[in-house]
Amino acid sequence: MKIFLETDRLTLRELTGADADHLFELDGDPEVMRYLNGGKPTPREEILDRVLPRMLHRHDVSGHPGYWAAEIRSTGEFIGWFELRPLVEEEAPESVELGYRLRRTAWGKGYATEGSRALVREGFAGLGVERVVARTMAVNTGSRNVMEKAGLRFVRTFHADWPEAIPGSEHGEVEYALTRDEWLATAGEA
C-alpha cells in the first residue's frame, strides 16, 4: 500500500486491484451516483474492465495515478476516493481536475473538504500545478460547497451534451477553479 498523503483524519493511498469490491459497493449506491448518472449502479464488469484500469493508470506527465483511495486514518476504513489528475494527458500537469466520490456514511463529516484541501495544497506546493479545476451539476449544492471550502471559485455554468438527461441536468453544470497565484495569495485561508 503506497500512501500518497495523509491529513488529520484521512489517508490517501494508491488504489489496487483489491479495491474492486470497494468501488463496486460505492458505485452501487443510488444516492452516490445521483448526480453522475441519475442513480444507476455501475456493473461489476464495468468496474473491472473500465473504471479500475482508468484509476490505476499512471499519467506520464506526473508519474502518479491521479486517483487515490480514501481511508479513515484511525481505522483503515475505505470511504471512497479522490482524484487529482491532468486534464490533458499529453501536456505537463499545469491544469488538473479535482474530484471525489465518498460513501454516504462519510457525507457531512468534512472528509470531502479535508481531502480536497490537501490535494489542492499538494498540487500547488508539491506537483507544480498551475490550475485546479472541478466540475459538477449545478444542482449538486453539496459538491459546490466543498469546492468553495477548498478555495476554488465559480467560473461558469455550461450545458454538456449528455446522451441521457438526468434530473437536474436541465440546469447545466458548473466549473470552479483556482490558480497557483490565487492559492498563494490565500494559502492560509483554504
Side-chain angles (χ1 to χ4, degrees):
M1 171 178 76
K2 186 173 181 184
I3 293 174
F4 180 66
L5 62 83
E6 291 183 312
T7 68
D8 289 342
R9 301 181 299 158
L10 298 174
T11 297
L12 300 186
R13 63 160 175 83
E14 289 189 7
L15 288 152
T16 70
D19 288 306
D21 287 339
H22 291 139
L23 298 174
F24 180 68
E25 178 188 344
L26 182 65
D27 283 16
D29 184 330
E31 282 302 305
V32 169
M33 301 304 288
R34 178 180 176 192
Y35 296 115
L36 300 166
N37 65 14
K40 298 176 190 168
T42 305
R44 182 175 293 281
E45 300 76 32
E46 188 172 340
I47 296 286
L48 295 172
D49 297 341
R50 191 182 64 77
V51 174
L52 190 56
R54 182 186 78 235
M55 296 176 104
L56 296 175
H57 170 73
R58 288 191 172 280
H59 298 276
D60 293 338
V61 297
S62 68
H64 295 287
Y67 292 91
W68 294 274
E71 297 177 338
I72 304 293
R73 274 183 76 175
S74 61
T75 65
E77 175 191 357
F78 176 91
I79 61 166
W81 55 259
F82 284 86
E83 163 195 17
L84 191 71
R85 66 181 175 90
L87 284 171
V88 179
E89 174 65 33
E90 297 80 25
E91 295 179 8
E94 293 174 0
S95 285
V96 295
E97 181 174 27
L98 172 69
Y100 38 83
R101 188 172 304 166
L102 301 179
R103 286 182 177 166
R104 219 178 333 163
T105 57
W107 293 1
K109 297 179 179 171
Y111 294 129
T113 299
E114 186 174 327
S116 294
R117 285 179 175 169
L119 283 173
V120 166
R121 183 174 46 257
E122 180 63 21
F124 290 132
L127 301 177
V129 168
E130 290 297 324
R131 185 171 187 255
V132 174
V133 176
R135 298 179 182 108
T136 191
M137 288 180 65
V139 295
N140 188 349
T141 56
S143 277
R144 291 181 75 165
N145 289 337
V146 169
M147 293 171 192
E148 291 172 4
K149 289 177 183 178
L152 281 69
R153 296 181 174 103
F154 175 79
V155 174
R156 67 184 176 122
T157 300
F158 64 98
H159 292 272
D161 185 24
W162 296 102
E164 291 183 40
I166 62 174
S169 62
E170 67 275 12
H171 300 288
E173 299 203 22
V174 290
E175 178 177 297
Y176 284 71
L178 181 66
T179 66
R180 173 192 291 279
D181 289 342
E182 291 167 338
W183 178 76
L184 286 171
T186 61
E189 298 173 27

